[in-house]
């Protein structure tokens, strides 16, 4: 039987644009670092490009959330799509038509522009669904959108790598106007597709219509001081919302424990304990597949215990599964553990996103989601730096065992000493009512 969500015109337009744009994002995630490495061969240059994207994204995301609340998620998202299309169109034109003009300062500027666009598109993209999809369909809509994004994260890199191999990635030969067969058309085509995907998804976004009772944009001043005041107002409102404040404090600590460990330690685990890159692919593939399965079953809500208790129980189980990872000697051992971790994490991702969207008044949603996303996009990279330093002094087995024990202890402490386990699922009535 066809799910009612698929009859929702707004959701179909959003979903179509998201698939096209999501695939383009994955192609760029392969093409951009590969371009930098082919230009320089310098990992430091690649690190600087990534930093130029991630730092402004984290710094300006709160301002992006305030603008989303002021002008509506759709308006802000539309502007970011055209901004991204302009940057990627310029990159594609340079790679395909004038590769000799590509320099690292220019690449840093392009990365900075993309990071700034992401700072505004992330809170807009995570805030738009409650205003255009009926409340009863919100969790299913989140599950479908995030599940599709996860599927693209599995398939996109493979398609990107194939495009580079078939189309060509020799930017040095292209820059020297070599008469040989070397070119960088594969990289250029990846950027060109991503540019086109942003333009097409802007067209599909224009077809989306807010629900009849959608919250109006905030009438406050559009000055810079007014935006900062809106950010401060959002922080104060979230601080006084005890369930949201409790969950965000807890998630910040979880990001410290888990985020850096998974980013840094898994590649080292594959390199030191297993069979190198092939093993890393198996581990990441198992985790990604598990996450996709978890998202697919997210429509089934656990009603036996509260929302907060579910989070703590899942995190305690993840801590137990994480602890033995550093001692494994076969890739399938890690794949089994990470597959289960992925299922648990995928299920909770949808539940957490939906709870956040339903726990905050619509006129505050952009700021709330920007703070929420900033926790994971800001804290996790800092945690990765700390984990990298720790691995100079401890072994991988000690790191994973310690991380698992810390997560278990954190969930236990939150259960005993905080109101976390009593937090209920947010009522759908707090979101916008359908027409």
């Amino acid at each position: 039987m066809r799910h009612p969500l698929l009859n929702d015109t707004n959701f179909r337009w959003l979903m179509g644009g998201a698939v096209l744009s999501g695939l383009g994002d994955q192609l760029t995630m392969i093409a951009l670092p590969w371009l930098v490495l082919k230009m320089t061969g310098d990992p430091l240059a690649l690190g600087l490009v990534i930093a130029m994207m991630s730092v402004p994204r984290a710094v300006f995301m709160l301002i992006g959330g305030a603008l989303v609340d002021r002008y509506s998620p759709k308006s802000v998202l539309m502007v970011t799509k055209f901004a991204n299309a302009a940057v990627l169109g310029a990159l594609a034109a340079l790679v395909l038509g004038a590769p000799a003009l590509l320099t690292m300062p220019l690449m840093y500027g392009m990365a900075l522009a993309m990071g700034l666009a992401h700072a505004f598109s992330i809170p807009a993209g995570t805030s738009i669904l409650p205003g255009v999809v009926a409340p009863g369909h919100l969790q299913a809509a989140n599950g479908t959108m995030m599940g599709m994004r996860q599927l693209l994260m599995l398939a996109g890199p493979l398609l990107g790598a194939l495009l580079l191999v078939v189309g060509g990635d020799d930017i040095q030969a292209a820059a020297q106007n070599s008469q040989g067969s070397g070119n960088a058309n594969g990289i250029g085509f990846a950027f060109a597709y991503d540019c086109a995907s942003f333009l097409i998804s802007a067209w599909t976004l224009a077809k989306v219509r807010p629900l009849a009772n959608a919250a109006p944009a905030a009438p406050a001043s559009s000055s810079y001081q007014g935006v900062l005041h809106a950010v401060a107002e959002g922080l104060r409102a979230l601080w006084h919302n005890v369930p949201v404040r409790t969950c965000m404090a807890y998630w910040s600590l979880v990001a410290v424990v888990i985020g850096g460990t998974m980013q840094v330690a898994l590649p080292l685990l594959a390199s030191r304990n297993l069979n190198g890159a092939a093993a890393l692919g198996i581990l990441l593939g198992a985790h990604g597949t598990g996450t996709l399965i978890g998202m697919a079953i997210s429509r089934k809500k656990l009603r036996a215990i509260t929302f907060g208790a579910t989070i703590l129980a899942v995190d305690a189980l993840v801590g137990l599964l994480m602890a033995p990872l550093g001692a494994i000697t076969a890739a399938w051992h890690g794949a089994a553990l990470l597959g289960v971790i992925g299922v648990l994490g995928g299920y909770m991702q949808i539940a957490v996103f939906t709870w956040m969207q339903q726990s905050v008044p619509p006129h505050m949603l952009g700021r709330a989601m920007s703070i929420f996303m900033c926790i994971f996009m800001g804290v996790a990279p800092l945690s990765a730096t700390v984990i990298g330093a720790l691995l100079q002094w401890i072994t991988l087995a000690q790191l994973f065992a310690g991380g698992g024990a810390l997560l278990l202890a954190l969930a236990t402490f939150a259960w005993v000493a905080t109101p976390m386990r009593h937090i209920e699922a947010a009522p759908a009535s707090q979101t916008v009512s359908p027409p």
Side-chain angles (χ1 to χ4, degrees), residues 5 36 54 60 72-73 91 95 107 111 128 139 181-182 197 219 230 232-233 246 249 319 342 357 389 391 401 432:
L5 179 64
V36 173
S54 59
F60 287 94
S72 84
L91 264 176
V95 172
M107 293 300 300
I128 194 171
Q139 179 144 337
S181 59
S197 75
E233 180 186 37
T246 303
Q357 291 168 339
L391 284 171
V432 182

Side-chain angles (χ1 to χ4, degrees), residues 13-14 16-22 24-25 28 77-90 92 190-207:
W13 282 118
L14 276 178
V19 170
L20 289 172
S21 183
D25 290 344
T28 293
L77 191 57
M78 185 70 76
V79 172
T80 65
K81 287 184 179 296
F82 287 118
N84 274 309
V87 174
L88 288 159
F191 293 142
Y193 174 86
D194 202 9
C195 171
S197 75
F198 275 115
L199 294 175
I200 297 172
S201 63
W203 174 71
T204 64
L205 180 62
K207 301 290 186 179

Side-chain angles (χ1 to χ4, degrees), residues 117-327:
H118 291 162
F120 298 94
S121 66
I122 289 171
T126 54
S127 304
I128 194 171
L129 276 177
V132 299
V133 173
H137 297 159
L138 184 57
Q139 179 144 337
N142 278 322
T144 305
M145 294 284 280
M146 295 177 70
M148 183 57 66
R149 189 178 303 128
Q150 184 67 30
L151 186 61
L152 291 172
M153 288 174 66
L154 292 173
L158 296 177
L159 292 175
L162 179 63
L163 181 60
L164 297 185
V165 170
V166 174
D169 63 355
D170 193 346
I171 192 67
Q172 297 287 0
Q176 295 168 7
N177 196 24
S178 171
Q179 298 302 312
S181 59
N183 64 72
N185 289 344
I187 296 175
F189 292 153
F191 293 142
Y193 174 86
D194 202 9
C195 171
S197 75
F198 275 115
L199 294 175
I200 297 172
S201 63
W203 174 71
T204 64
L205 180 62
K207 301 290 186 179
V208 174
R209 297 290 181 263
L211 297 179
N213 296 328
S221 166
S222 60
S223 67
Y224 182 67
Q225 290 80 4
V227 171
L228 292 181
H229 174 76
V231 171
E233 180 186 37
L235 290 170
R236 282 195 300 269
L238 293 182
W239 178 259
H240 291 299
N241 186 326
V242 175
V244 172
R245 181 182 73 200
T246 303
C247 286
M248 284 197 171
Y250 174 77
W251 291 327
S252 297
L253 294 175
V254 170
V256 171
V257 174
I258 295 294
T261 300
M262 301 303 278
Q263 287 182 6
V264 175
L266 276 184
L268 285 176
L269 177 67
S271 175
R272 294 179 181 179
N273 292 23
L274 306 174
N275 297 317
L280 179 60
I282 292 172
L283 296 180
L284 294 178
H287 184 265
T289 303
T291 302
L292 188 60
I293 293 171
M295 289 176 171
I297 64 176
S298 64
R299 295 177 183 177
K300 302 293 184 181
K301 299 180 181 180
L302 298 180
R303 303 184 185 276
I305 58 176
T306 65
F307 170 77
T310 303
I311 291 176
L312 298 179
V314 166
D315 283 350
L317 183 54
V318 169
L320 293 173
L321 292 168
M322 177 181 168
L325 267 173

